[in-house]
Amino acid sequence: MTIELTDRTEMASSSELDDMFEQMHIPEGYKAEIVEGTIYMAPQRGTHWETIADIYEQLRTRYPRKRVLSDVRIDFPGYLNGFACDVVALAENATKNDKGHPRYQDIEFVAEVISESTGKNDYGPKKTAYAVAEVPVYMIADPCIGRCRVFTHPQNGDYKVDLTLAYGEPIDLTDTVVGLTLATDEFPRD
């Protein structure tokens, strides 16, 4: 489900995003987020959740439980970008903003699991927002084609390194702030 809002390019205030989130009626079993002023709702699938859980469990070998989040609102640079990232790992000294939300400045890793209806956001405006926010590692898992894309080294609003790996191949992040290798051999496929 997509709801179009007015096309504006200026940076939105946090209160605008707060108002939009407060007015949403999210059906059970759906995830909602705001990408460039458009509200997106996508059903949560078993494959989606299993992939998120696998990534979460692997990150927990390095990150304490309170520093690994899923489906928690984080506001990102750009106009009306309030994302509910599938998986986020936060820096050791992470703090919350004045609304009690995690700050994008504290993110070390983001993973998104592709949904057919919202996949274009993961490769487009969300990738741009993560690069502008200088998120060091951004990973996309695509259960439809059985591949992961890993973006690192953000610079000038884009990622300088773009690696594609098939499910089953390890994702070596030991040379990044994440400092571990993620196994993909148990990621489910749609």
Side-chain angles (χ1 to χ4, degrees), residues 42-43 45 48 113-122 142-144 190:
R45 304 171 334 274
H48 193 91
V113 181
I114 293 289
S115 296
E116 284 187 42
S117 61
T118 60
K120 66 182 172 98
N121 290 335
D122 297 322
D142 189 335
C144 297
D190 275 340

Side-chain angles (χ1 to χ4, degrees), residues 101-150:
H101 300 294
R103 298 171 345 120
Y104 72 82
Q105 296 92 332
D106 296 328
I107 296 173
E108 293 184 342
F109 172 89
V110 171
E112 297 287 3
V113 181
I114 293 289
S115 296
E116 284 187 42
S117 61
T118 60
K120 66 182 172 98
N121 290 335
D122 297 322
Y123 285 108
K126 289 175 87 174
K127 177 180 167 260
T128 299
Y130 295 145
V132 168
E134 297 186 349
V135 172
V137 180
Y138 173 40
M139 180 183 117
I140 299 173
D142 189 335
C144 297
I145 61 173
R147 288 195 191 128
C148 291
R149 295 269 301 271
V150 182

Side-chain angles (χ1 to χ4, degrees), residues 19-145:
D19 291 344
M20 291 174 71
F21 275 107
E22 287 171 13
Q23 293 177 24
M24 278 190 229
H25 298 287
I26 305 166
E28 187 174 330
Y30 278 74
K31 169 184 160 178
E33 58 188 354
I34 301 169
V35 180
E36 296 183 327
T38 301
I39 298 170
Y40 291 90
M41 291 187 201
Q44 298 295 76
R45 304 171 334 274
T47 300
H48 193 91
W49 169 242
E50 288 175 39
T51 306
I52 291 169
D54 194 343
I55 295 166
Y56 176 89
E57 289 172 356
Q58 292 183 66
L59 289 172
R60 287 280 292 115
T61 64
R62 183 182 176 292
Y63 291 88
R65 181 177 47 82
K66 291 185 178 186
R67 289 180 35 214
V68 182
L69 309 174
S70 180
D71 290 344
V72 174
R73 175 184 163 188
I74 301 173
D75 297 344
F76 284 88
Y79 179 70
L80 292 177
N81 282 328
F83 303 160
C85 312
D86 288 331
V87 183
V88 171
L90 299 173
E92 185 174 352
N93 58 351
T95 59
K96 295 185 178 185
N97 65 20
D98 60 345
K99 303 275 187 182
H101 300 294
R103 298 171 345 120
Y104 72 82
Q105 296 92 332
D106 296 328
I107 296 173
E108 293 184 342
F109 172 89
V110 171
E112 297 287 3
V113 181
I114 293 289
S115 296
E116 284 187 42
S117 61
T118 60
K120 66 182 172 98
N121 290 335
D122 297 322
Y123 285 108
K126 289 175 87 174
K127 177 180 167 260
T128 299
Y130 295 145
V132 168
E134 297 186 349
V135 172
V137 180
Y138 173 40
M139 180 183 117
I140 299 173
D142 189 335
C144 297
I145 61 173

